Amino acid sequence: MRSEIWHWIVRLSLTQKLITVFVILITVPIVTISMISYSSYSKSIEKNTALYVNQISQKILERVDQYVSDIKRVTGSQIYMQDIQESLANRNKTVEENNRLQNFVKGLNSLKNDTESVYIFDNYGNMYDSTKNDTIRADIRQQAVDLRQQVRNAQGSSIVISTQKITVGHTVKYYFSIARELKNTNSLEGIGMIIFDSRIQVIGDAVRELDEVTKGRTMVLDDQNTVIYDSEQKWISTNVASNELVQKAVGAQGSFKVTIEGKSYLTSYTTSAVTGWKQIVFIPVDHLTEETRVTRDFTMILVLLSITVALVTSAIIAIALTRPLRTLMRTMKQVNKENLDVQIPVKYSDEFGILAKHFNNMIRRINELVEEVYQTQNRKREAELRSLQHQINPHFIYNTLEVIRMTAEVKRDYEISEMTYNLGELLRYGILRGTDQVTIHKELDHLEKYLALQNFRFSKDIQLELNISEAHLSYPVIKLLFQPIVENAILHGFEMKEENCLITISSYMDKQAIYFTVRDNGCGMDDSQLKIIRNAMQGLRQENRNNIGIANVNERIILQYGASYGLQVSSEIEVGTTVTIVLPVLEAWKESA
């Protein structure tokens, strides 16, 4: 890692090195100190906020606990009222006893403003109720049946029932309830049950006060992790024990940070010792650090202003010192991009002025040499192409062959006529002007005529098998690409072979090139023969001129497409010879194909 940093520094320009040094010496200490201070201050704010919110939460829970404790005390008041106990325990109650019990329930309901309903049940299925909305819950009797065993198990103590979603008439409301078994004070036998329904607003008012302070949201859970109340009222009466955030709230109290819907919160939780309810408060970190951010932003502005002034001053000095060097560097980059029409303005007679003058002279000389080389190469290429083309395409022979063919036709020697016609077509194909390039399809037509002529000449049945992709038939190539290769196969590969003479031409393509393979099943070549052919292809001409055709094709391909392309020859004794033609993938042909 240290070595990589050093190499990176070495590769920088002189101006960049100077500016980098200033950046490191000026900005790093200031920014580091600012970040450490901001981080320390933010953590302190979060810690103090968590403590403060815990204290407020305790007070909020104490208010709820006080309300619950008051209700519990109210439910125990019947212990000191003997007439109420006797009336409740009596199976066959008189009208007076029923009225007494009903009035007693109404009195209990008027003790607390936030109490919605009070229900008393005796052991004989009778219910006495008082509701502030004059509507009795539809499910109260079923709930009484469900709660009876729970209140008995409480041994006279009150139980708190978490928030319930209750339909009263056509309205959906939320209540939490406190229930207790009523007992005879003398025999301690159960004589009934009392249920207080309290509005969830008791908790909601306290939570709203807390949310106004924290600018966040709050959730109150019972000891089974069922939501008693939440600020958004989306999860009331829902069990959230499997929620990851709830699972983090371990212990009586504490705090941790979470991210909800991409927003960061400081989460503080406190548990009531009376009800066992847990209050979880979600405080937006943005709200906590608002003042911190203002201080940070103001500090950073001052820091950046100081850094900017220092860096601008240092940059001006560094740029002024290195301007001539950067001018030379930019000019050399233009030359590297093959733009030789550049000159460096010489303003001073110092060392850089002398260097610039010599550089300008060098560029002018290079331009002269490039032009000379370009003209020389063009003339050489044109001459070589004409020379190579004339080696294969003697024009005058075509006219003579046409006379011979007509004479054979007159004398009805049709075999000689056909041979002469095919030979004439071969020569015509070679001397057509304006068509230095033809398609693979035309090359193959020419090759078939050539093979027909060779079959007459050698009295052999040489078969041609084509495995050319349809898409490759339109590929443009230089003329007479295949004929010299096939001619070499006939003269050397099939020299001692009379039957089953097969030449196979195939094609394939990859991202770099398109390939045409010419494979014969002739006698093949040994390493010494292969070496002769490869030397001829490389321009190492020897006395043996038998391989001039292959060398000619290879040279024309290189002249046309470049040194990356050409012929590749491989052979195996008694198996055959394979010549692979490597050509570029032309963009114009690729798009049209």
Side-chain angles (χ1 to χ4, degrees):
M1 182 64 180
R2 194 175 295 174
S3 176
E4 292 177 359
I5 294 175
W6 175 250
H7 285 305
W8 176 76
I9 294 174
V10 169
R11 287 194 296 268
L12 293 176
S13 66
L14 182 58
T15 305
Q16 292 171 332
K17 288 176 183 175
L18 291 174
I19 294 176
T20 301
V21 170
F22 283 116
V23 168
I24 294 173
L25 294 180
I26 297 174
T27 63
V28 172
I30 296 177
V31 172
T32 301
I33 293 172
S34 301
M35 294 299 293
I36 292 174
S37 300
Y38 172 71
S39 177
S40 177
Y41 185 42
S42 298
K43 289 179 180 178
S44 176
I45 291 290
E46 291 179 8
K47 182 179 179 180
N48 293 334
T49 301
L51 292 174
Y52 175 65
V53 170
N54 276 336
Q55 292 173 359
I56 296 178
S57 296
Q58 286 284 9
K59 292 181 180 179
I60 297 295
L61 284 177
E62 285 174 4
R63 287 173 51 184
V64 177
D65 291 347
Q66 184 62 45
Y67 176 82
V68 173
S69 297
D70 290 345
I71 297 296
K72 288 183 177 180
R73 281 194 294 273
V74 168
T75 61
S77 64
Q78 48 81 32
I79 297 175
Y80 305 102
M81 302 177 67
Q82 193 65 34
D83 56 341
I84 295 297
Q85 291 187 33
E86 291 175 354
S87 297
L88 193 61
N90 189 6
R91 177 185 289 272
N92 299 313
K93 297 176 181 62
T94 63
V95 174
E96 182 181 355
E97 289 176 324
N98 283 330
N99 289 335
R100 184 184 300 121
L101 290 172
Q102 189 64 42
N103 291 331
F104 175 69
V105 172
K106 288 181 180 179
L108 292 177
N109 195 21
S110 64
L111 295 177
K112 286 287 185 180
N113 292 331
D114 292 311
T115 303
E116 180 66 26
S117 307
V118 180
Y119 303 94
I120 289 181
F121 296 86
D122 61 15
N123 291 337
Y124 312 110
N126 298 313
M127 180 182 76
Y128 303 91
D129 62 88
S130 173
T131 61
K132 290 180 179 175
N133 58 15
D134 297 325
T135 305
I136 299 174
R137 286 168 43 189
D139 64 337
I140 187 62
R141 290 187 177 275
Q142 181 60 44
Q143 187 182 44
V145 173
D146 297 336
L147 288 177
R148 191 171 294 277
Q149 187 59 45
Q150 293 184 43
V151 296
R152 285 176 182 172
N153 293 338
Q155 299 293 322
S157 298
S158 298
I159 64 171
V160 181
I161 302 148
S162 185
T163 303
Q164 310 155 78
K165 182 179 178 182
I166 299 172
T167 302
V168 179
H170 297 289
T171 306
V172 175
K173 295 185 177 182
Y174 293 96
Y175 301 98
F176 70 93
S177 303
I178 299 173
R180 184 173 185 169
E181 185 182 27
L182 302 178
K183 291 189 176 184
N184 186 292
T185 54
N186 296 322
S187 63
L188 298 180
E189 293 181 356
I191 58 176
M193 179 175 61
I194 185 169
I195 300 175
F196 273 77
D197 283 345
S198 297
R199 299 188 188 99
I200 197 65
Q201 206 60 37
V202 174
I203 302 173
D205 292 341
V207 166
R208 272 195 299 276
E209 292 180 17
L210 182 59
D211 289 346
E212 287 177 2
V213 175
T214 63
K215 305 301 180 184
R217 49 188 177 176
T218 304
M219 181 180 289
V220 182
L221 312 176
D222 65 12
D223 55 357
Q224 301 298 320
N225 289 323
T226 298
V227 178
I228 298 172
Y229 187 84
D230 71 285
S231 301
E232 298 176 338
Q233 299 188 13
K234 292 168 56 179
W235 307 99
I236 296 178
S237 74
T238 303
N239 189 281
V240 291
S242 61
N243 189 286
E244 184 180 355
L245 300 180
V246 175
Q247 292 174 354
K248 286 184 177 181
V250 179
Q253 65 179 20
S255 63
F256 55 89
K257 292 183 73 173
V258 296
T259 301
I260 304 174
E261 297 177 354
K263 192 172 183 180
S264 183
Y265 291 87
L266 174 64
T267 304
S268 177
Y269 60 93
T270 307
T271 305
S272 169
V274 176
T275 60
W277 292 355
K278 183 173 291 184
Q279 183 171 259
I280 304 177
V281 183
F282 301 90
I283 312 163
V285 173
D286 289 344
H287 174 65
L288 292 180
T289 59
E290 185 173 357
E291 293 184 4
T292 310
R293 289 199 307 275
V294 173
T295 304
R296 178 203 62 187
D297 294 343
F298 180 72
T299 303
M300 290 304 296
I301 289 172
L302 292 179
V303 170
L304 290 175
L305 184 61
S306 302
I307 292 173
T308 301
V309 172
L311 291 181
V312 167
T313 303
S314 61
I316 290 173
I317 296 173
I319 291 171
L321 292 175
T322 59
R323 182 180 291 114
L325 186 60
R326 287 183 289 106
T327 302
L328 177 60
M329 180 183 67
R330 286 195 300 269
T331 307
M332 294 184 72
K333 284 183 178 179
Q334 292 295 319
V335 174
N336 190 49
K337 294 179 181 178
E338 300 182 2
N339 179 14
L340 298 178
D341 296 326
V342 292
Q343 290 285 299
I344 299 176
V346 180
K347 297 181 180 180
Y348 307 102
S349 58
D350 56 7
E351 289 83 354
F352 177 76
I354 296 172
L355 181 63
K357 187 181 296 184
H358 286 294
F359 179 83
N360 291 338
N361 292 335
M362 180 186 69
I363 293 299
R364 282 194 293 270
R365 182 56 183 158
I366 289 174
N367 274 320
E368 294 171 0
L369 292 174
V370 167
E371 183 63 24
E372 289 177 8
V373 170
Y374 177 75
Q375 295 296 336
T376 301
Q377 288 295 329
N378 273 348
R379 288 193 296 271
K380 181 180 177 182
R381 184 171 177 271
E382 290 173 1
E384 287 182 342
L385 285 174
R386 284 195 298 269
S387 175
L388 292 169
Q389 194 74 22
H390 290 161
Q391 288 180 29
I392 300 174
N393 303 318
H395 184 278
F396 74 95
I397 296 178
Y398 169 73
N399 295 327
T400 303
L401 288 174
E402 185 63 19
V403 173
I404 295 172
R405 187 183 73 82
M406 294 302 298
T407 302
E409 284 282 342
V410 171
K411 294 183 177 182
R412 300 180 180 273
D413 194 338
Y414 298 115
E415 185 173 335
I416 292 175
S417 175
E418 184 179 353
M419 292 172 61
T420 307
Y421 172 77
N422 286 336
L423 181 57
E425 287 299 307
L426 296 183
L427 292 174
R428 184 190 298 273
Y429 180 80
I431 66 174
L432 284 177
R433 295 176 180 246
T435 55
D436 291 334
Q437 284 195 337
V438 296
T439 63
I440 290 293
H441 185 271
K442 289 186 177 181
E443 269 291 289
L444 294 176
D445 285 345
H446 168 75
L447 185 60
E448 288 177 350
K449 292 182 175 64
Y450 171 77
L451 278 177
L453 187 63
Q454 292 293 60
N455 281 330
F456 278 121
R457 177 185 175 189
F458 294 104
S459 299
K460 293 183 179 182
D461 185 14
I462 301 173
Q463 298 296 318
L464 178 64
E465 181 179 309
L466 300 178
N467 296 321
I468 304 293
S469 171
E470 187 72 23
H472 298 164
L473 292 175
S474 62
Y475 182 86
V477 293
I478 57 177
K479 288 195 299 185
L480 302 176
L481 184 68
F482 294 117
Q483 177 191 322
I485 301 172
V486 172
E487 182 178 2
N488 191 75
I490 294 172
L491 294 177
H492 303 291
F494 299 146
E495 184 178 7
M496 305 301 294
K497 191 170 185 177
E498 298 296 332
E499 298 178 350
N500 300 323
C501 298
L502 177 64
I503 294 176
T504 304
I505 301 179
S506 307
S507 69
Y508 63 94
M509 185 177 71
D510 58 23
K511 292 182 180 180
Q512 286 73 36
I514 183 169
Y515 304 87
F516 295 94
T517 61
V518 181
R519 183 179 293 106
D520 66 64
N521 61 349
C523 62
M525 293 181 285
D526 57 22
D527 292 341
S528 61
Q529 292 173 309
L530 269 177
K531 185 177 180 181
I532 293 173
I533 292 179
R534 289 168 179 168
N535 286 341
M537 289 166 54
Q538 293 176 5
L540 303 176
R541 304 286 184 172
Q542 299 183 10
E543 295 181 0
N544 187 351
R545 309 291 288 177
N546 292 333
N547 301 307
I548 190 172
I550 291 183
N552 183 288
V553 172
N554 185 66
E555 192 170 357
R556 285 193 295 135
I557 292 174
I558 292 173
L559 286 171
Q560 184 73 25
Y561 303 112
S564 300
Y565 306 97
L567 303 184
Q568 299 171 358
V569 182
S570 62
S571 184
E572 187 176 347
I573 296 295
E574 301 301 331
V575 175
T577 300
T578 300
V579 178
T580 302
I581 305 170
V582 185
L583 301 174
V585 178
L586 303 175
E587 289 300 325
W589 167 78
K590 189 176 180 181
E591 291 175 2
S592 63

